[in-house]
Amino acid sequence: SGINAEYGGHGHLCEEIYMLRSNTYFKRIPDVVVYPGCHDDVVKLVELAVKYNVVIIPMGGGTSVSGALMCPEEEVRPIASLDMTEMNRIHWIDPENLMAHIESGIIGQDLERKLESEGYTTGHQPDSLEFSSLGGWVATRASGMKKNVYGNIEDMVVRIKMVTAKGTLEKSCQVPRISAGPDVHEFILGSEGTLGVITEVTMKIKPLPECTRYGSAIFPDFDKGIQFMHAVSRKQIYPASIRLMDNDQLQFGLAIKPEKTLIEQFTDTIKRMYITRLRGFNPTKLALCTLVFEGSTATVEKQESEIYAVAAEYGGIPAGEENGKTGYLLTFNIAYLRDLGMNYGFLAESFETSVPWDRVSDLVKNVKQRIIIVCREEGVRHPPHISSRVTQAYDTGACCYFYFGFGSEGVPDPLKAYSAIERSAREEVLANGGSVSHHHGIGKVRSDYLESSISPVGKQALVAIKNELDPNNIFGNGNLIGVVGPSLKSKL
């Protein structure tokens, strides 16, 4: 149906949601949506697409915020959206070697529920866990909130099966490591549907942790919190998750917390008095770090002791398990709030980057200031909302995540203004030494920055792989490297 076709032609980028809600038609949508049921179905569909010169755009959970699912407007051939969500089975679980072989269309929360019923987990918990798919994680080089224990998606995969225009690409064995030239997984990971359809993935799994505990620490300001996180990385005492919210995001989170009883409100008042009057914290500057500890009870208790000792060195004080859990789960609510805000003309989006430790603070400050300046230039009447958090800690740097939004009242072209603001923010990120993306991917909206990110030679290498595996551009979604290769008239 037309509804299915339109659904298959967009993701969750602010621009896409705005167009849907304002009844603005996409200039190009898929001509057909197909639901393969297994790997062999995909093989047959790709063979037919090659024979009749039909474009295939794979789709998992549809949570992309990079324009990756939008159909190229200039494409004249028929476009088939391959909705992979019928391929949602776990083929087998290997308890001896701690692996599971899984179809790529399975949605994250469904995968975790099925594994948990058997006593296991992948530990991969991205913000989009409710809706994103395993294949989408691989195709975008995804990252989860508990990567300190479980790794990013590239650390979890053991074997990937992908159907290309020239046949199925996969390794011949499921081993922990192989020295057999450049790793073919490396150009499947992050390929964003440009080389083929990921159909099955063998992943590492782990037994469910004996103990999971939330925690939090409050700091006098964001910079002290950053210094704390850097110290944690140097001391190598990573908990499963460690995330630092700036004051803007903290205030936002407090504003949407459920209403408390009178006793709870009284207790909170006492706590605030202690923090602000006795400890001297400025409520307009303090920052909150949320923590998740997982492992054996002994491991968790040891990490808690070490983490709070380091926090104290930077003026931090424990802020309780409830604040830790509420802050951690806040991330799952924000996407819903963004769409609700559109009811009131409020446009909002998130973006992220990775950056060395010595540039985290300046990057955050400069990007916020740049957004404020461009909002004024675009005629935004009221101050925008901008908040940030440090979501991932690495030995050499961190992932910084931003939310920004503005009221579009009086703005002649809200989408044009949004695009100008987002692009300026991205360029400020790059100017301050940040990456083009940490885990959202390139898609179409950031493809202009790919060459400067990986060098002209690096892009040429990607184009060469694309032309070799897909000479007729069957997987012509235009992501990453733009539209390449022939776009010939269909043979249908």
Side-chain angles (χ1 to χ4, degrees), residues 15-238:
E15 177 183 354
E16 296 167 310
I17 302 301
Y18 183 88
M19 290 174 68
L20 287 169
R21 293 171 65 97
S22 60
N23 295 318
T24 303
Y25 293 104
F26 292 95
K27 293 181 180 179
R28 188 73 164 90
I29 63 172
D31 298 286
V32 62
V33 180
V34 187
Y35 299 85
C38 62
H39 169 79
D40 289 343
D41 285 354
V42 176
V43 171
K44 292 173 185 176
L45 288 165
V46 172
E47 288 173 350
L48 288 170
V50 171
K51 181 177 180 179
Y52 293 107
N53 199 27
V54 174
V55 173
I56 287 179
I57 298 181
M59 178 177 175
T63 58
S64 163
V65 287
S66 65
L69 293 172
M70 295 180 75
C71 300
E73 296 175 8
E74 67 275 14
E75 184 58 72
V76 298
R77 298 173 294 175
I79 297 176
S81 171
L82 250 62
D83 189 314
M84 301 296 290
T85 52
E86 293 295 313
M87 293 179 59
N88 57 12
R89 293 174 288 273
I90 298 177
H91 283 196
W92 48 258
I93 293 173
D94 180 349
E96 178 112 6
N97 297 306
L98 289 178
M99 295 188 293
H101 191 69
I102 310 156
E103 291 180 331
S104 66
I106 194 166
I107 299 303
Q109 64 177 356
D110 297 330
L111 171 59
E112 285 303 304
R113 285 170 183 160
K114 290 180 179 181
L115 286 176
E116 284 173 8
S117 70
E118 302 292 332
Y120 299 100
T121 180
T122 66
H124 188 63
Q125 198 168 83
D127 295 5
S128 59
L129 182 71
E130 292 177 278
F131 304 108
S132 57
S133 70
L134 170 57
W137 299 345
V138 174
T140 57
R141 294 184 67 91
S143 179
M145 293 186 281
K146 297 179 181 178
K147 73 92 189 164
N148 294 336
V149 170
Y150 303 97
N152 291 317
I153 194 64
E154 64 268 22
D155 305 308
M156 299 178 178
V157 296
V158 178
R159 189 182 186 194
I160 306 170
K161 185 181 288 189
M162 182 174 75
V163 180
T164 76
K166 287 192 170 182
T168 298
L169 174 63
E170 62 179 328
K171 294 181 181 180
S172 62
C173 53
Q174 295 178 149
V175 293
R177 190 175 187 272
I178 181 172
S179 178
D183 192 341
V184 294
H185 284 173
E186 286 302 321
F187 62 77
I188 297 174
L189 286 154
S191 57
E192 299 188 8
T194 61
L195 300 178
V197 185
I198 298 161
T199 57
E200 297 173 10
V201 182
T202 304
M203 292 188 74
K204 301 174 187 177
I205 57 174
K206 289 191 176 185
L208 290 170
E210 174 189 317
C211 177
T212 297
R213 203 173 291 168
Y214 294 91
S216 62
I218 202 155
F219 292 90
D221 55 47
F222 195 54
D223 283 344
K224 284 292 185 183
I226 293 170
Q227 292 167 19
F228 157 72
M229 290 188 70
H230 190 187
V232 166
S233 75
R234 284 177 174 246
K235 293 175 184 291
Q236 297 287 295
I237 51 173
Y238 294 114

Side-chain angles (χ1 to χ4, degrees), residues 241-316:
S241 175
I242 179 168
R243 295 152 69 87
L244 178 70
M245 287 188 273
D246 71 1
N247 191 262
D248 294 298
Q249 194 162 124
L250 174 59
Q251 298 298 340
F252 176 76
L254 291 173
I256 62 173
K257 283 181 70 173
E259 187 173 345
K260 294 188 173 185
T261 65
L262 288 175
I263 294 177
E264 290 172 329
Q265 290 176 29
F266 176 75
T267 302
D268 283 352
T269 299
I270 298 298
K271 291 176 182 177
R272 277 196 298 271
M273 288 176 63
Y274 171 73
I275 291 170
T276 59
R277 295 188 182 181
L278 297 181
R279 295 299 298 262
F281 285 21
N282 184 336
T284 65
K285 291 185 177 180
L286 52 82
L288 178 71
C289 182
T290 62
L291 302 157
V292 181
F293 303 93
E294 284 193 355
S296 67
T297 301
T299 297
V300 166
E301 289 176 350
K302 181 174 182 291
Q303 278 196 336
E304 283 182 315
S305 175
E306 292 175 337
I307 285 287
Y308 290 124
V310 177
E313 294 175 17
Y314 296 91

Side-chain angles (χ1 to χ4, degrees), residues 400-418:
C400 298
Y401 203 103
F402 294 85
Y403 293 108
F404 82 93
F406 65 94
S408 62
E409 179 187 0
V411 179
D413 188 339
L415 274 187
K416 178 177 174 293
Y418 157 78

Side-chain angles (χ1 to χ4, degrees), residues 340-410:
L340 176 65
M342 285 190 182
N343 291 339
Y344 304 94
F346 193 82
L347 273 65
E349 189 56 279
S350 64
F351 60 94
E352 34 62 73
T353 184
S354 55
V355 62
W357 280 115
D358 63 351
R359 299 182 183 181
V360 171
S361 180
D362 286 343
L363 182 144
V364 170
K365 292 172 185 173
N366 292 342
V367 169
K368 285 185 169 187
Q369 187 59 34
R370 184 63 183 157
I371 290 174
I372 291 170
I373 291 171
V374 179
C375 279
R376 289 178 189 148
E377 293 173 351
E378 293 297 321
V380 176
R381 294 180 177 179
H382 305 289
H385 169 80
I386 318 163
S387 66
S388 64
R389 64 175 183 254
V390 180
T391 64
Q392 306 278 29
Y394 296 87
D395 294 355
T396 58
C399 170
C400 298
Y401 203 103
F402 294 85
Y403 293 108
F404 82 93
F406 65 94
S408 62
E409 179 187 0

